[in-house]
Amino acid sequence: MPSTKVIKTSNAPDPVGPYNQAIKAGNFIFCSGQIAIDPVSKEINCLGNIEEETIQVLKNLLAVLKAGGARVEDIVKTTIYLTDLKNFQIVNEIYNEFFNVANPPARACIEVSSLPKGVLIEIDCVAFVD
């Protein structure tokens, strides 16, 4: 069993339940799902705006990864949870800008009936660091 380490940063929101922002296990970083909570105000300042929520979610994920010593290029898998797949195209455009790398990660995108705090999107990811 690889050694594990909790990853925590004040540059991303605190978990809203009994879990960690991320866990590093061996060379993998498993990031918990992020929603659009601003880490400074601890509020969702963009609730209901899919563009702004998506940007904040990706910023939060990047902050957690950075705290674990990873970069966008190290992400190998993401899962996007949307409350409405009609928002897929908008999210995909923002996602494409964020993952403007030679080898974007594998991805799943699913529609769910609801998400914590009434947000429209949540994203989690797995990264691999050498």
Side-chain angles (χ1 to χ4, degrees):
M1 173 98 172
S3 64
T4 61
K5 176 186 171 193
V6 172
I7 296 171
K8 176 149 179 49
T9 178
S10 60
N11 294 322
D14 290 328
V16 296
Y19 59 90
N20 290 296
Q21 291 171 327
I23 297 289
K24 185 170 185 180
N27 289 35
F28 287 96
I29 298 175
F30 297 88
C31 290
S32 294
Q34 288 290 320
I35 60 174
I37 299 173
D38 179 282
V40 176
S41 70
K42 302 192 185 325
E43 300 290 327
I44 301 170
N45 302 320
C46 54
L47 188 64
N49 182 318
I50 190 63
E51 294 93 346
E52 291 181 23
E53 281 193 37
T54 303
I55 291 166
Q56 185 64 57
V57 167
L58 291 169
K59 285 180 182 177
N60 292 346
L61 271 179
L62 187 57
V64 173
L65 289 169
K66 186 175 179 184
R71 306 164 299 144
V72 170
E73 295 84 358
D74 298 322
I75 299 173
V76 294
K77 174 73 167 73
T78 63
T79 305
I80 302 171
Y81 306 89
L82 294 173
T83 58
D84 189 343
L85 278 177
K86 291 178 185 165
N87 289 323
F88 177 79
Q89 189 58 38
I90 295 167
V91 170
N92 201 47
E93 289 173 15
I94 296 165
Y95 184 96
N96 186 48
E97 290 176 25
F98 184 79
F99 286 103
N100 188 12
V101 296
N103 294 307
R107 176 178 87 178
C109 181
I110 57 174
E111 183 176 81
V112 295
S113 61
S114 65
L115 288 166
K117 301 193 176 280
V119 297
L120 303 175
I121 184 170
E122 180 173 350
I123 302 175
D124 65 29
C125 73
V126 177
F128 181 83
V129 288
D130 292 320

